[in-house]
Amino acid sequence: MKIVIAIALGAAMSASAAGAFAQSCNVPVLKVLAQKSLGLTVMEKTLADYEKKNGTKVEISYFGENDRRSKARLDASTKAGSYQIYYIDEANVAEFATAGWVLPLIKYLPQNADYDDFLPGRRAVASYKGVAYFAPLIGGGDFLFYRKDILEKAGIPVPKTLDELVAAIKKLHSPPSMYGWAARGQRGSGMNVWRWAPFMLAAGGKWENNGIPALNSPQTVKATTLYRDLFKYSPPGGATYDWSNALASFRAGKVAFMIESTPFADWMEDPTKSSVVDKVGYVRPPAPLPSAAYGHGLAISTSGAKDDCTRQAAGKFIAWATGKDQEQARLKEHVFSDYNRTSTVSSDYFRKNVKPQILSGLNDTNPITKVTIWPSPEWPDISDNLGVVLEEVFTGTRSDVQSALDEANEYAIEVVERAKRRK
């Protein structure tokens, strides 16, 4: 009993000392390298209050997704330390964690941060080898977005299989008034690779066999050929679309089907930006397509936050920016897409204000949502090169799918072998 009491007292004293240390820290400026999101836009409305209360100026630099990834990688790998906080995601958490570019997060969060309140799926993609490295700002899975009114008029049931989806896309394709399909085609691990990966896995393809890349299997060739051919039913230039282009086309009422991330449902129901409000249905991707789990959030830069004082300040800001109060503030601002916490999803406000069709879709897609990328430190390098090759295939620059994937696989093998030699 004495030992238990001593341990408890020691822990309490340690927590007290940590709290006193955090209070005594004076960090004039925290710099954040980030990617714009609706949640961060809401957060900025009360940022001045946070700065005044804590005596720390928070400077946020926003970049597009691909630029954000490359700038964070450059800052971290060169140890420039220009930023104390990085916005990172499931695609680069393994790389950043393995290289020591970001710190294990829990140690630097305040005790009241309640990290366990984050949804299990969010915690899973925010971690590497069981260690949490970022606090989620946004995350989700996939919906099949479809035009309810168009399908009803044509007498087409909601596709439940991939074959049914392909048939419906072809039937509803009637340019220039209506295109059957929109998807990401632009190069990038978070662009075409991300959207293509569920097709590859659904066809029986694999990222690797016993640690050796397997990007050129017959199954992967089949999936790539199908994904390429679906661009015949996209708006002009669709083969180089990023996610924002695909969403814009769908919201403009020009597209019948799209598979995209679940938070974008909120964008479809925004009457100030969307012409298809209450005309969209949301269901799980047609079998055997999986739903791609993802999560983006804030992490502490090892080189940018060089001392314990700065790390504590960074942890405090991250806890605030991703906290329960911020999620509730987003709901009050009618941002129902950037949610990450169990307490948010179970709140009366969420259930009463999220449209029934979206709630139904979330219940439908959650059971098949899983990580669809290769959770490897070498993934960013491999996937960026793969994205270039896929874009060349999708745009018709390369017509031989097999040889293109052979080349991508050779590069992936070289990357893996180089990594082994470095170890």
Side-chain angles (χ1 to χ4, degrees):
M1 180 64 73
K2 291 181 179 179
I3 294 175
V4 173
I5 292 173
I7 292 174
L9 286 172
M13 291 173 65
S14 176
S16 176
F21 176 76
Q23 290 178 1
S24 66
C25 278
N26 180 21
V27 179
V29 179
L30 284 174
K31 294 186 177 182
V32 184
L33 192 161
Q35 178 180 324
K36 201 73 173 178
S37 72
L38 293 174
L40 285 177
T41 300
V42 173
M43 180 272 291
E44 286 194 80
K45 293 183 178 183
T46 54
L47 181 57
D49 294 335
Y50 177 87
E51 293 174 327
K52 183 177 180 180
K53 180 180 178 181
N54 293 278
T56 299
K57 178 72 174 176
V58 180
E59 298 178 357
I60 305 175
S61 298
Y62 290 109
F63 300 94
E65 186 166 346
N66 287 340
D67 284 344
R68 180 264 302 172
R69 286 195 177 106
S70 62
K71 287 181 182 297
R73 185 177 294 126
L74 179 64
D75 186 75
S77 63
T78 61
K79 298 183 180 180
S82 300
Y83 303 91
Q84 288 70 55
I85 297 171
Y86 294 141
Y87 180 121
I88 66 172
D89 57 52
E90 76 295 324
N92 55 14
V93 65
E95 175 194 17
F96 277 55
T98 301
W101 294 342
V102 290
L103 296 163
L105 181 64
I106 303 299
K107 176 181 177 182
Y108 300 106
L109 290 178
Q111 286 186 316
N112 62 355
D114 196 3
Y115 194 86
D116 287 342
D117 183 51
F118 286 114
L119 292 161
R122 304 289 199 275
R123 282 182 274 133
V125 297
S127 302
Y128 180 63
K129 293 186 175 181
V131 178
Y133 284 95
F134 70 81
L137 278 166
I138 187 172
D142 287 341
F143 280 148
L144 171 65
F145 293 71
Y146 67 94
R147 285 286 300 277
K148 295 186 294 184
D149 55 332
I150 301 298
L151 267 66
E152 183 177 348
K153 184 178 180 180
I156 297 175
V158 179
K160 294 184 177 180
T161 68
L162 182 54
D163 288 342
E164 290 175 358
L165 174 61
V166 172
I169 288 171
K170 293 178 179 179
K171 187 172 182 178
L172 293 175
H173 184 66
S174 181
S177 59
M178 181 59 60
Y179 296 89
W181 174 249
R184 306 183 198 187
Q186 185 182 102
R187 65 183 65 185
S189 61
M191 296 298 174
N192 56 12
V193 178
W194 181 262
R195 270 294 134 243
W196 162 91
F199 283 75
M200 182 271 287
L201 296 172
K206 297 180 179 179
W207 292 116
E208 49 85 22
N209 283 317
N210 297 319
I212 301 174
L215 307 180
N216 58 344
S217 69
Q219 295 89 343
T220 303
V221 171
K222 178 182 177 181
T224 306
T225 302
L226 172 60
Y227 197 94
R228 177 200 65 187
D229 291 348
L230 286 177
F231 284 114
K232 297 175 183 177
Y233 309 98
S234 294
T240 56
Y241 269 11
D242 62 12
W243 59 264
S244 64
N245 302 135
L247 260 65
S249 294
F250 197 97
R251 289 199 297 187
K254 295 289 187 179
V255 174
F257 292 104
M258 174 179 70
I259 294 176
E260 262 302 343
S261 301
T262 52
F264 292 139
D266 192 44
W267 296 33
M268 298 302 153
E269 305 299 334
D270 182 351
T272 66
K273 299 177 181 178
S274 176
S275 66
V276 294
V277 175
D278 289 326
K279 296 179 181 178
V280 184
Y282 312 97
V283 294
R284 57 158 286 177
L289 292 173
S291 163
Y294 76 98
H296 296 193
L298 300 178
I300 301 175
S301 161
T302 303
S303 57
K306 295 181 174 62
D307 56 79
D308 229 41
C309 185
T310 306
R311 293 171 181 181
Q312 296 283 351
K316 189 174 184 179
F317 170 75
I318 289 172
W320 175 78
T322 63
K324 297 177 184 179
D325 290 344
Q326 282 297 326
E327 293 217 350
Q328 289 300 312
R330 295 171 204 165
L331 299 186
K332 299 296 171 59
E333 292 278 345
H334 304 289
V335 177
F336 298 103
S337 55
D338 291 14
Y339 65 89
N340 303 281
R341 291 179 171 273
T342 301
S343 57
T344 303
V345 176
S346 61
S347 68
D348 289 339
Y349 196 92
F350 188 86
R351 291 198 299 266
K352 290 178 181 178
N353 289 276
V354 173
K355 291 194 172 185
Q357 62 265 38
I358 298 178
L359 285 174
S360 175
L362 290 172
N363 290 331
D364 195 25
T365 202
N366 282 338
I368 62 161
T369 299
K370 65 178 185 178
V371 176
T372 56
I373 64 172
W374 186 5
S376 164
E378 285 69 58
W379 170 250
D381 193 359
I382 291 171
S383 62
D384 282 345
N385 180 72
L386 176 59
V388 174
V389 171
L390 289 177
E391 186 185 82
E392 291 172 345
V393 170
F394 299 156
T395 58
T397 305
R398 303 183 68 155
S399 58
D400 190 330
V401 177
Q402 182 69 68
S403 66
L405 292 176
D406 286 344
E407 179 183 303
N409 201 61
E410 289 175 9
Y411 181 84
I413 290 173
E414 290 175 4
V415 171
V416 170
E417 289 301 320
R418 283 202 305 268
K420 288 180 179 177
R421 289 195 293 269
R422 286 197 299 268
K423 295 176 182 178

